[in-house]
Amino acid sequence: AIYAVWGNKVNAYKNLDELNKKKTFGLWWIPYLKYDPLFENIRNEPRFKAIIKDVESKYKAEHNRTKKWLEESGMLDVKQNLGTKLTH
């Protein structure tokens, strides 16, 4: 992030590309990338937007895999009126 603030886009994207090699991301990464002022200099660039989209996609895929596993394990009951409920 500091490289983005300094205007050093080459190193900023080098670090972001390295980060994006991760297979899974926690939810907190999405607002961090989207709203942290340190990324203001590159926030509207197509390359940065593509990285955010990729991170979101990886988060959603992991979320869906986890949900499916919880359902198959009987730990998540999706038939409840209020959405989902942990049963164990």
Side-chain angles (χ1 to χ4, degrees):
I2 196 68
Y3 288 120
V5 170
W6 290 343
N8 186 337
K9 293 181 183 182
V10 171
N11 282 330
Y13 282 117
K14 181 179 176 183
N15 284 311
L16 287 166
D17 290 339
E18 191 63 33
L19 170 75
N20 200 25
K21 289 179 183 177
K22 291 177 47 126
K23 295 181 190 260
T24 61
F25 288 90
L27 179 60
W28 68 272
W29 277 102
I30 297 167
Y32 169 66
L33 292 170
K34 283 185 170 181
Y35 305 112
D36 193 299
L38 295 175
F39 295 109
E40 190 63 34
N41 291 337
I42 61 174
R43 180 161 288 121
N44 293 317
E45 294 186 5
R47 186 173 175 187
F48 186 73
K49 289 180 179 182
I51 290 169
I52 291 174
K53 187 176 180 178
D54 200 30
V55 168
E56 287 176 320
S57 176
K58 290 175 184 178
Y59 165 75
K60 288 176 185 176
E62 182 62 21
H63 176 78
N64 289 335
R65 277 192 297 273
T66 302
K67 180 182 175 193
K68 183 179 178 184
W69 175 78
L70 288 170
E71 289 171 352
E72 290 172 351
S73 300
M75 293 186 275
L76 187 65
D77 185 357
V78 294
K79 297 176 185 173
Q80 295 295 318
N81 291 335
L82 298 175
T84 59
K85 174 185 167 189
L86 287 175
T87 59
H88 290 108

